[in-house]
Amino acid sequence: MSSKPVLKTDVKNPLWLLAELTYDCPLHCPYCSNPVQMSERKDECDTETWKKVLSEAREMGAVQLGFSGGEPLLRKDLEALVAHASELGFYTNLITSGIGLTEKRIKGLKEAGLDHIQLSFQAANADENDLIGNKRHSFEQKLAVAKLVKQYDYPMVLNFCLTRQNIDKIADVLALSCELGGDFVELATVQYYGWAYLNRDHLLPTKEQLVAAEATVNRFRDTQGDDEPKFIFVTPDYYETRPKACMNGWATTFLTVTPDGSALPCHSAKILPLTFPNVKESSLEKIWHEDFSFNKFRGLDWLPSPCRDCDEKEKDFGGCRCQAFMLTGDMHKTDPVCDKSPDHYLIQAAIAKSKQPRENLFYRDPKTDIPVHLIQE
Amino acid sequence: MATPKLNPLYKFQFEKAQDAFVLLYPEGMITLNGSAGEIIQMVNGQRDVDTIISELVAKFPDVEGIDKDIHEFLDHAHEKKWIKYVE
Ligand code: SF4
Ligand code: SF4
């Protein structure tokens, strides 16, 4: 390559590629992080485009690859893409709801070289699980899938999304995880992006619920045997006073490609008022190093006050751009989670507001009629 | 004699971009330094610890105290569950 005019020389290449193969999903979780306005299936990248993306990302040094969605199993070429990825030397992760994961497919994926399966649950019992995902018999199917995952010798990560509705039953979640033999278990309090942001007032647990749940997990950890699952508890940052180091810093480590081929520094960045490049039109190398949006929040030079003069800026890089945008309307601002931010009151107001939700709870469904002011908020 | 094998949860490979051996696991990666990489490379469920030591001594005759380093690293790797001992 002869000239790269806007190349920043200290830029590290991505290590992680998240391939969102489709937004389609048989479930309708109200906390789904997919965008509220989803692109359509006809715009999805074809097999050849995905293969090109995988090859280019691997060439740049990416080593972890997540196939996600939506429900990636809805793509008939999943096996072909996994085979291509594992030939390239990726560690391949399938992030699935389990719906549609038959024995035939789990076997085919193993033969293709799939390394790991992450299976999500909506709750630890059939009634609540099927209600939250809005699909009957889905719990039953997930249990069967968990057995198959073990039978075919995959490392198994279980993922439980915790919300105000299910967090009080965390002890059941711990018990079920042990019974199913998960290797790692993510107890992930929902983060408020996409549909989860829309439904935040319903989903945000109270501080008391969180404290109690975390204590239950800690007590359980103390009694655990050596071969039992490792529990990872993720708290929502609304109750923190410092933001998360979002994506380990903008465009430093992670690269997401959405179903229609948009390349993003983070899976929720599409909501920002930026124009993101598309892998159908450009190479990943060029996108990562030269694209305006990817360079926009790279490093620390762009930081606003009070981050600019803060001695913690190397730790969190001013927090999450999407959160700043959703809450303040300005993506350049300090993440309002930080209590040094003049906008921190917005987080406190959101917590207060969540105590009395005024809108309905929406299931994730492209056909849902969402009040316009909620999309714009 | 104890014979270590890799925990099947981990995948061991050389990464050109890192110029290092790495251990990959669900959604994560541990980058190993040079000597750690050499040791894990010998772990295959067949060689016992003594064999690993003698082969590495032969490979790196100038490195002093290599057996102590190997024991220390294997202890660490076992504690981290990267390796298991074959019964
Ligand atoms: S969160 Fe629920 S609706 Fe969204 S992709 Fe996952 S399983 Fe489907
Ligand atoms: S002011 Fe900015 S850099 Fe400092 S802690 Fe808050 S978000 Fe981080």
Side-chain angles (χ1 to χ4, degrees):
Chain A
M1 265 157 273
S2 50
S3 67
K4 273 188 197 155
V6 278
L7 182 81
K8 293 195 180 177
T9 45
D10 56 345
V11 172
K12 285 182 278 174
N13 276 338
L15 285 174
W16 237 113
L17 174 66
L18 185 67
E20 295 186 331
L21 298 182
T22 177
Y23 284 138
D24 253 24
C25 186
L27 301 189
H28 307 278
C29 311
Y31 53 68
C32 187
S33 64
N34 283 168
V36 176
Q37 284 154 315
M38 287 176 272
S39 54
E40 296 181 37
R41 282 213 80 168
K42 63 173 172 35
D43 298 326
E44 282 179 12
C45 295
D46 60 13
T47 311
E48 287 318 303
T49 306
W50 277 118
K51 284 190 178 169
K52 174 194 95 118
V53 168
L54 302 181
S55 301
E56 288 175 354
R58 184 63 187 144
E59 182 62 28
M60 290 174 79
V63 61
Q64 283 282 350
L65 169 62
F67 288 108
S68 104
E71 177 49 68
L73 288 164
L74 291 175
R75 289 279 303 220
K76 293 200 178 66
D77 55 359
L78 180 62
E79 286 79 352
L81 296 177
V82 168
H84 184 72
S86 68
E87 213 166 282
L88 293 167
F90 273 112
Y91 188 90
T92 48
N93 305 272
L94 174 66
I95 300 159
T96 177
S97 70
I99 308 302
L101 195 46
T102 56
E103 178 155 13
K104 183 163 169 253
R105 292 205 81 182
I106 224 166
K107 192 158 170 268
L109 288 164
K110 189 88 202 182
E111 282 158 11
L114 181 64
D115 289 303
H116 146 238
I117 295 181
Q118 184 194 113
L119 176 63
S120 66
F121 278 82
Q122 282 65 39
N125 65 73
D127 287 347
E128 285 169 34
N129 182 86
D130 298 357
L131 180 70
I132 294 173
N134 200 18
K135 186 169 169 61
R136 290 174 65 192
H137 308 301
S138 53
F139 187 70
E140 237 171 81
Q141 290 177 51
K142 285 164 191 276
L143 293 182
V145 165
K147 283 210 187 78
L148 282 173
V149 173
K150 296 294 285 184
Q151 188 188 322
Y152 281 85
D153 251 352
Y154 288 98
M156 179 165 75
V157 175
L158 301 173
N159 174 285
F160 290 87
C161 271
L162 303 177
T163 64
R164 187 184 307 163
Q165 288 74 23
N166 64 13
I167 194 169
D168 292 334
K169 294 197 182 143
I170 197 155
D172 297 350
V173 169
L174 304 177
L176 178 66
S177 307
C178 293
E179 197 183 311
L180 297 177
D183 293 298
F184 298 92
V185 182
E186 292 176 6
L187 306 165
T189 337
V190 167
Q191 308 281 332
Y192 301 97
Y193 299 96
W195 292 82
Y197 184 71
L198 184 71
N199 286 316
R200 184 187 62 195
D201 292 353
H202 291 271
L203 300 174
L204 185 68
T206 65
K207 178 92 190 177
E208 293 69 33
Q209 280 183 307
L210 261 182
V211 172
E214 199 162 11
T216 306
V217 176
N218 287 337
R219 270 198 308 276
F220 194 84
R221 281 195 187 117
D222 291 341
T223 65
Q224 271 192 293
D226 228 24
D227 282 327
E228 286 183 24
K230 185 171 158 59
F231 290 101
I232 302 150
F233 192 77
V234 187
T235 53
D237 52 6
Y238 275 52
Y239 292 109
E240 306 287 338
T241 49
R242 289 289 177 273
K244 53 185 178 288
C246 198
M247 304 321 283
N248 194 33
W250 182 267
T252 62
T253 317
F254 293 93
L255 174 63
T256 297
V257 178
T258 67
D260 69 359
S262 301
L264 310 174
C266 126
H267 63 276
S268 100
K270 202 65 187 281
I271 61 162
L272 299 175
L274 289 168
T275 310
F276 286 100
N278 195 297
V279 299
K280 291 172 187 160
E281 282 138 29
S282 189
S283 75
L284 281 191
E285 173 88 26
K286 208 168 144 92
I287 287 173
W288 184 261
H289 288 283
E290 296 178 22
D291 184 76
F292 173 82
S293 306
F294 277 71
N295 281 321
K296 173 112 179 134
F297 297 116
R298 232 179 209 141
L300 300 171
D301 296 345
W302 65 275
L303 283 178
S305 159
C307 302
R308 203 180 300 137
D309 307 308
C310 173
D311 56 9
E312 294 176 66
K313 64 185 169 196
E314 313 256 352
K315 270 194 237 160
D316 59 41
F317 326 109
C320 172
R321 294 304 89 224
C322 300
Q323 195 142 270
F325 177 68
M326 285 187 293
L327 285 144
T328 73
D330 182 351
M331 65 178 170
H332 303 86
K333 285 196 169 171
T334 299
D335 186 334
V337 162
C338 185
D339 67 2
K340 296 186 192 180
S341 154
D343 300 308
H344 184 63
Y345 73 94
L346 290 169
I347 291 277
Q348 289 163 322
I351 294 171
K353 183 163 160 269
S354 75
K355 301 212 159 99
Q356 277 155 339
R358 267 170 296 171
E359 305 287 345
N360 294 331
L361 179 74
F362 294 100
Y363 277 116
R364 184 203 112 136
D365 179 351
K367 293 181 286 289
T368 301
D369 212 4
I370 299 155
V372 176
H373 71 272
L374 280 176
I375 297 179
Q376 287 170 338
E377 197 187 339
Chain B
M1 190 66 217
T3 304
K5 64 166 188 184
L6 204 60
N7 179 343
L9 215 56
Y10 294 92
K11 195 170 157 183
F12 175 70
Q13 69 186 37
F14 187 78
E15 274 303 294
K16 210 166 61 177
Q18 258 61 248
D19 192 22
F21 284 102
V22 299
L23 287 172
L24 297 162
Y25 60 100
E27 303 185 18
M29 175 171 83
I30 297 145
T31 310
L32 301 170
N33 68 16
S35 37
E38 290 290 347
I39 300 168
I40 294 280
Q41 213 180 348
M42 304 298 283
V43 169
N44 63 356
Q46 311 279 328
R47 293 187 185 90
D48 62 20
V49 176
D50 279 351
T51 313
I52 292 177
I53 291 174
S54 61
E55 288 191 26
L56 286 176
V57 167
K59 192 168 173 188
F60 302 100
D62 301 337
V63 183
E64 265 176 58
I66 200 170
D67 50 340
K68 192 170 149 271
D69 290 351
I70 296 171
H71 279 298
E72 264 175 27
F73 176 73
L74 288 176
D75 284 349
H76 178 73
H78 187 240
E79 199 178 303
K80 292 278 186 190
K81 300 193 187 162
W82 301 339
I83 60 167
K84 293 180 170 183
Y85 285 98
V86 184
E87 276 100 57

